[in-house]
Every structure is written in C-alpha cells, then in structure tokens.
C-alpha cells in the first residue's frame, strides 16, 4: 500500500481499493493504475503524506493512501 512507502521511494500504482467519490477523487488527482508515484515526505505524526504524481505534488490522508496498492521498484 502507498501508506507504507518511505520518503524518497518510488512505486508504480497497481490498483485502487477505494469506492465512490474517494475513488473518483484519486483518479482525478492522477492516481491511475500503471502511473509512477514518489513519496516526498510524511508529516511528523505520519498523516498526511506528500506525493509526486502526474508532474505535481499531492497531499493524501493515510486513510486514502491505504487504499492505493503499489508495486515497489
């Protein structure tokens, strides 16, 4: 899951386990299967996570990042 990736690591998105509006939001933000994503940093308490995807930075809640299945490089 994307939530488990450490800052500085890259991974490829495999699929989503989100439903409804959350799924649509993630797709709109560029979290599309087969897209590469990099975790930039995590907040001191671990939530939110800043990611680089589709040529821009996005902050995700842990609950959202836990719905994105990734494959590490």
């Amino acid at each position: 899951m994307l939530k488990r990736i450490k800052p500085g690591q890259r991974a490829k998105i495999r699929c989503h386990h989100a439903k409804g509006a959350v799924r649509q939001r993630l797709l709109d933000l560029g979290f599309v299967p087969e897209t590469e994503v990099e975790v930039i940093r995590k907040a001191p308490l671990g939530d939110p996570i800043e990611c680089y995807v589709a040529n821009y930075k996005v902050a995700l809640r842990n609950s959202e990042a836990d719905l994105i299945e990734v494959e590490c490089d």
Side-chain angles (χ1 to χ4, degrees), residues 7 9-10 19 22 29 32-33 36 38 40 43 46-47 51 57 59 61-62 65 67 71:
Q9 282 187 308
R10 292 175 178 248
K19 304 265 190 249
V22 174
L29 288 172
V32 180
E36 191 171 281
E38 178 182 359
I40 305 292
D47 194 13
C51 300
K57 295 178 183 176
R61 297 179 186 104
N62 273 337
L67 298 172
E71 179 179 311

PDB file of all heavy atoms in Angstrom, residues 7 9-10 19 22 29 32-33 36 38 40 43 46-47 51 57 59 61-62 65 67 71:
ATOM      1  N   PRO A   7       9.659   7.913   2.490  1.00  0.00           N
ATOM      2  CA  PRO A   7      10.007   9.105   1.723  1.00  0.00           C
ATOM      3  C   PRO A   7      11.242   8.870   0.851  1.00  0.00           C
ATOM      4  O   PRO A   7      12.211   8.251   1.283  1.00  0.00           O
ATOM      5  CB  PRO A   7      10.278  10.155   2.802  1.00  0.00           C
ATOM      6  CG  PRO A   7       9.431   9.717   3.951  1.00  0.00           C
ATOM      7  CD  PRO A   7       9.492   8.208   3.910  1.00  0.00           C
ATOM      8  N   GLN A   9      11.188   7.048  -1.874  1.00  0.00           N
ATOM      9  CA  GLN A   9      10.971   5.842  -2.664  1.00  0.00           C
ATOM     10  C   GLN A   9       9.946   6.091  -3.762  1.00  0.00           C
ATOM     11  O   GLN A   9       9.050   6.917  -3.617  1.00  0.00           O
ATOM     12  CB  GLN A   9      10.464   4.681  -1.818  1.00  0.00           C
ATOM     13  CG  GLN A   9      11.515   3.995  -1.000  1.00  0.00           C
ATOM     14  CD  GLN A   9      10.950   2.751  -0.339  1.00  0.00           C
ATOM     15  OE1 GLN A   9       9.928   2.812   0.323  1.00  0.00           O
ATOM     16  NE2 GLN A   9      11.627   1.636  -0.524  1.00  0.00           N
ATOM     17  N   ARG A  10      10.097   5.340  -4.845  1.00  0.00           N
ATOM     18  CA  ARG A  10       9.145   5.392  -5.955  1.00  0.00           C
ATOM     19  C   ARG A  10       8.436   4.047  -6.052  1.00  0.00           C
ATOM     20  O   ARG A  10       8.987   3.018  -5.683  1.00  0.00           O
ATOM     21  CB  ARG A  10       9.858   5.665  -7.277  1.00  0.00           C
ATOM     22  CG  ARG A  10      10.430   7.036  -7.361  1.00  0.00           C
ATOM     23  CD  ARG A  10      11.214   7.178  -8.651  1.00  0.00           C
ATOM     24  NE  ARG A  10      11.724   8.527  -8.746  1.00  0.00           N
ATOM     25  CZ  ARG A  10      11.306   9.408  -9.631  1.00  0.00           C
ATOM     26  NH1 ARG A  10      10.410   9.078 -10.526  1.00  0.00           N
ATOM     27  NH2 ARG A  10      11.798  10.617  -9.641  1.00  0.00           N
ATOM     28  N   LYS A  19     -13.834   3.237  -3.207  1.00  0.00           N
ATOM     29  CA  LYS A  19     -15.152   3.196  -3.854  1.00  0.00           C
ATOM     30  C   LYS A  19     -15.746   4.597  -3.910  1.00  0.00           C
ATOM     31  O   LYS A  19     -15.376   5.473  -3.134  1.00  0.00           O
ATOM     32  CB  LYS A  19     -16.104   2.306  -3.042  1.00  0.00           C
ATOM     33  CG  LYS A  19     -15.612   0.906  -2.798  1.00  0.00           C
ATOM     34  CD  LYS A  19     -16.146  -0.023  -3.835  1.00  0.00           C
ATOM     35  CE  LYS A  19     -15.850  -1.455  -3.446  1.00  0.00           C
ATOM     36  NZ  LYS A  19     -14.903  -2.096  -4.281  1.00  0.00           N
ATOM     37  N   VAL A  22     -14.427   8.833  -3.280  1.00  0.00           N
ATOM     38  CA  VAL A  22     -12.986   8.776  -2.958  1.00  0.00           C
ATOM     39  C   VAL A  22     -12.222   8.217  -4.148  1.00  0.00           C
ATOM     40  O   VAL A  22     -11.178   8.737  -4.535  1.00  0.00           O
ATOM     41  CB  VAL A  22     -12.725   7.932  -1.692  1.00  0.00           C
ATOM     42  CG1 VAL A  22     -11.240   7.764  -1.449  1.00  0.00           C
ATOM     43  CG2 VAL A  22     -13.400   8.565  -0.488  1.00  0.00           C
ATOM     44  N   LEU A  29      -6.987  13.111  -9.364  1.00  0.00           N
ATOM     45  CA  LEU A  29      -5.693  13.636  -8.919  1.00  0.00           C
ATOM     46  C   LEU A  29      -4.513  12.995  -9.655  1.00  0.00           C
ATOM     47  O   LEU A  29      -3.378  13.425  -9.494  1.00  0.00           O
ATOM     48  CB  LEU A  29      -5.530  13.422  -7.408  1.00  0.00           C
ATOM     49  CG  LEU A  29      -6.392  14.299  -6.522  1.00  0.00           C
ATOM     50  CD1 LEU A  29      -6.278  13.844  -5.074  1.00  0.00           C
ATOM     51  CD2 LEU A  29      -5.977  15.760  -6.645  1.00  0.00           C
ATOM     52  N   VAL A  32      -3.681   6.895 -11.136  1.00  0.00           N
ATOM     53  CA  VAL A  32      -4.226   5.968 -12.119  1.00  0.00           C
ATOM     54  C   VAL A  32      -3.316   4.736 -12.176  1.00  0.00           C
ATOM     55  O   VAL A  32      -2.091   4.884 -12.077  1.00  0.00           O
ATOM     56  CB  VAL A  32      -4.274   6.662 -13.504  1.00  0.00           C
ATOM     57  CG1 VAL A  32      -4.828   5.747 -14.570  1.00  0.00           C
ATOM     58  CG2 VAL A  32      -5.068   7.955 -13.414  1.00  0.00           C
ATOM     59  N   PRO A  33      -3.876   3.541 -12.336  1.00  0.00           N
ATOM     60  CA  PRO A  33      -3.026   2.351 -12.442  1.00  0.00           C
ATOM     61  C   PRO A  33      -1.940   2.508 -13.501  1.00  0.00           C
ATOM     62  O   PRO A  33      -2.146   3.146 -14.535  1.00  0.00           O
ATOM     63  CB  PRO A  33      -4.020   1.247 -12.817  1.00  0.00           C
ATOM     64  CG  PRO A  33      -5.299   1.702 -12.177  1.00  0.00           C
ATOM     65  CD  PRO A  33      -5.300   3.192 -12.340  1.00  0.00           C
ATOM     66  N   GLU A  36       3.584   6.079 -12.130  1.00  0.00           N
ATOM     67  CA  GLU A  36       4.631   6.087 -11.116  1.00  0.00           C
ATOM     68  C   GLU A  36       4.352   7.197 -10.103  1.00  0.00           C
ATOM     69  O   GLU A  36       3.943   8.299 -10.475  1.00  0.00           O
ATOM     70  CB  GLU A  36       5.990   6.317 -11.762  1.00  0.00           C
ATOM     71  CG  GLU A  36       7.130   6.083 -10.801  1.00  0.00           C
ATOM     72  CD  GLU A  36       8.476   6.091 -11.497  1.00  0.00           C
ATOM     73  OE1 GLU A  36       8.809   5.073 -12.116  1.00  0.00           O
ATOM     74  OE2 GLU A  36       9.160   7.124 -11.420  1.00  0.00           O
ATOM     75  N   GLU A  38       5.939   8.989  -6.338  1.00  0.00           N
ATOM     76  CA  GLU A  38       7.061   9.090  -5.398  1.00  0.00           C
ATOM     77  C   GLU A  38       6.563   9.739  -4.119  1.00  0.00           C
ATOM     78  O   GLU A  38       5.856  10.744  -4.158  1.00  0.00           O
ATOM     79  CB  GLU A  38       8.181   9.937  -5.993  1.00  0.00           C
ATOM     80  CG  GLU A  38       9.362  10.119  -5.055  1.00  0.00           C
ATOM     81  CD  GLU A  38      10.458  10.998  -5.624  1.00  0.00           C
ATOM     82  OE1 GLU A  38      10.326  11.458  -6.768  1.00  0.00           O
ATOM     83  OE2 GLU A  38      11.437  11.239  -4.904  1.00  0.00           O
ATOM     84  N   ILE A  40       7.282  12.044  -1.262  1.00  0.00           N
ATOM     85  CA  ILE A  40       8.210  13.143  -0.994  1.00  0.00           C
ATOM     86  C   ILE A  40       8.542  13.195   0.500  1.00  0.00           C
ATOM     87  O   ILE A  40       9.697  13.194   0.887  1.00  0.00           O
ATOM     88  CB  ILE A  40       7.625  14.502  -1.437  1.00  0.00           C
ATOM     89  CG1 ILE A  40       7.201  14.464  -2.903  1.00  0.00           C
ATOM     90  CG2 ILE A  40       8.596  15.630  -1.162  1.00  0.00           C
ATOM     91  CD1 ILE A  40       8.323  14.356  -3.889  1.00  0.00           C
ATOM     92  N   ALA A  43       4.248  13.812   7.229  1.00  0.00           N
ATOM     93  CA  ALA A  43       4.144  14.719   8.369  1.00  0.00           C
ATOM     94  C   ALA A  43       4.739  14.045   9.602  1.00  0.00           C
ATOM     95  O   ALA A  43       4.847  12.822   9.659  1.00  0.00           O
ATOM     96  CB  ALA A  43       2.675  15.072   8.613  1.00  0.00           C
ATOM     97  N   GLY A  46       2.922  11.264  10.703  1.00  0.00           N
ATOM     98  CA  GLY A  46       2.634  10.313   9.635  1.00  0.00           C
ATOM     99  C   GLY A  46       1.431  10.622   8.775  1.00  0.00           C
ATOM    100  O   GLY A  46       1.152   9.925   7.816  1.00  0.00           O
ATOM    101  N   ASP A  47       0.689  11.653   9.083  1.00  0.00           N
ATOM    102  CA  ASP A  47      -0.512  11.978   8.323  1.00  0.00           C
ATOM    103  C   ASP A  47      -0.592  13.486   8.137  1.00  0.00           C
ATOM    104  O   ASP A  47      -0.593  14.212   9.133  1.00  0.00           O
ATOM    105  CB  ASP A  47      -1.738  11.475   9.074  1.00  0.00           C
ATOM    106  CG  ASP A  47      -3.002  11.441   8.250  1.00  0.00           C
ATOM    107  OD1 ASP A  47      -2.899  11.564   7.017  1.00  0.00           O
ATOM    108  OD2 ASP A  47      -4.079  11.268   8.831  1.00  0.00           O
ATOM    109  N   CYS A  51       2.966  13.348  -1.961  1.00  0.00           N
ATOM    110  CA  CYS A  51       3.398  12.502  -3.074  1.00  0.00           C
ATOM    111  C   CYS A  51       3.590  13.342  -4.326  1.00  0.00           C
ATOM    112  O   CYS A  51       2.963  14.387  -4.498  1.00  0.00           O
ATOM    113  CB  CYS A  51       2.346  11.443  -3.380  1.00  0.00           C
ATOM    114  SG  CYS A  51       1.993  10.359  -2.016  1.00  0.00           S
ATOM    115  N   LYS A  57       2.626  17.826  -7.021  1.00  0.00           N
ATOM    116  CA  LYS A  57       2.616  17.291  -5.658  1.00  0.00           C
ATOM    117  C   LYS A  57       1.190  17.260  -5.118  1.00  0.00           C
ATOM    118  O   LYS A  57       0.417  18.186  -5.342  1.00  0.00           O
ATOM    119  CB  LYS A  57       3.489  18.143  -4.744  1.00  0.00           C
ATOM    120  CG  LYS A  57       4.952  18.099  -5.110  1.00  0.00           C
ATOM    121  CD  LYS A  57       5.764  18.996  -4.210  1.00  0.00           C
ATOM    122  CE  LYS A  57       7.219  18.999  -4.632  1.00  0.00           C
ATOM    123  NZ  LYS A  57       7.998  19.934  -3.828  1.00  0.00           N
ATOM    124  N   ALA A  59      -1.078  16.003  -1.487  1.00  0.00           N
ATOM    125  CA  ALA A  59      -1.093  15.509  -0.109  1.00  0.00           C
ATOM    126  C   ALA A  59      -2.298  14.587   0.059  1.00  0.00           C
ATOM    127  O   ALA A  59      -3.412  14.931  -0.333  1.00  0.00           O
ATOM    128  CB  ALA A  59      -1.181  16.662   0.873  1.00  0.00           C
ATOM    129  N   ARG A  61      -4.364  11.816   2.782  1.00  0.00           N
ATOM    130  CA  ARG A  61      -4.533  11.302   4.138  1.00  0.00           C
ATOM    131  C   ARG A  61      -4.069   9.847   4.163  1.00  0.00           C
ATOM    132  O   ARG A  61      -4.089   9.157   3.136  1.00  0.00           O
ATOM    133  CB  ARG A  61      -6.016  11.338   4.533  1.00  0.00           C
ATOM    134  CG  ARG A  61      -6.592  12.716   4.583  1.00  0.00           C
ATOM    135  CD  ARG A  61      -8.077  12.620   4.952  1.00  0.00           C
ATOM    136  NE  ARG A  61      -8.684  13.912   4.861  1.00  0.00           N
ATOM    137  CZ  ARG A  61      -9.472  14.302   3.856  1.00  0.00           C
ATOM    138  NH1 ARG A  61      -9.762  13.471   2.879  1.00  0.00           N
ATOM    139  NH2 ARG A  61      -9.976  15.513   3.839  1.00  0.00           N
ATOM    140  N   ASN A  62      -3.684   9.362   5.322  1.00  0.00           N
ATOM    141  CA  ASN A  62      -3.293   7.956   5.464  1.00  0.00           C
ATOM    142  C   ASN A  62      -4.426   7.024   5.052  1.00  0.00           C
ATOM    143  O   ASN A  62      -4.189   5.987   4.443  1.00  0.00           O
ATOM    144  CB  ASN A  62      -2.873   7.635   6.891  1.00  0.00           C
ATOM    145  CG  ASN A  62      -1.419   7.911   7.138  1.00  0.00           C
ATOM    146  OD1 ASN A  62      -0.615   7.946   6.224  1.00  0.00           O
ATOM    147  ND2 ASN A  62      -1.076   8.119   8.386  1.00  0.00           N
ATOM    148  N   ALA A  65      -4.280   6.885   1.302  1.00  0.00           N
ATOM    149  CA  ALA A  65      -3.077   6.208   0.830  1.00  0.00           C
ATOM    150  C   ALA A  65      -3.147   4.707   1.089  1.00  0.00           C
ATOM    151  O   ALA A  65      -2.564   3.920   0.342  1.00  0.00           O
ATOM    152  CB  ALA A  65      -1.840   6.796   1.501  1.00  0.00           C
ATOM    153  N   LEU A  67      -5.616   2.896   0.592  1.00  0.00           N
ATOM    154  CA  LEU A  67      -6.487   2.294  -0.412  1.00  0.00           C
ATOM    155  C   LEU A  67      -5.811   2.112  -1.765  1.00  0.00           C
ATOM    156  O   LEU A  67      -6.397   1.545  -2.676  1.00  0.00           O
ATOM    157  CB  LEU A  67      -7.738   3.184  -0.598  1.00  0.00           C
ATOM    158  CG  LEU A  67      -8.626   3.352   0.633  1.00  0.00           C
ATOM    159  CD1 LEU A  67      -9.689   4.399   0.357  1.00  0.00           C
ATOM    160  CD2 LEU A  67      -9.250   2.031   1.025  1.00  0.00           C
ATOM    161  N   GLU A  71       3.354  -1.214  -6.366  1.00  0.00           N
ATOM    162  CA  GLU A  71       4.436  -2.175  -6.581  1.00  0.00           C
ATOM    163  C   GLU A  71       5.736  -1.393  -6.527  1.00  0.00           C
ATOM    164  O   GLU A  71       5.943  -0.480  -7.313  1.00  0.00           O
ATOM    165  CB  GLU A  71       4.234  -2.809  -7.960  1.00  0.00           C
ATOM    166  CG  GLU A  71       5.267  -3.805  -8.351  1.00  0.00           C
ATOM    167  CD  GLU A  71       4.923  -4.357  -9.728  1.00  0.00           C
ATOM    168  OE1 GLU A  71       3.785  -4.751  -9.967  1.00  0.00           O
ATOM    169  OE2 GLU A  71       5.844  -4.359 -10.568  1.00  0.00           O
TER     170      GLU A  71
END
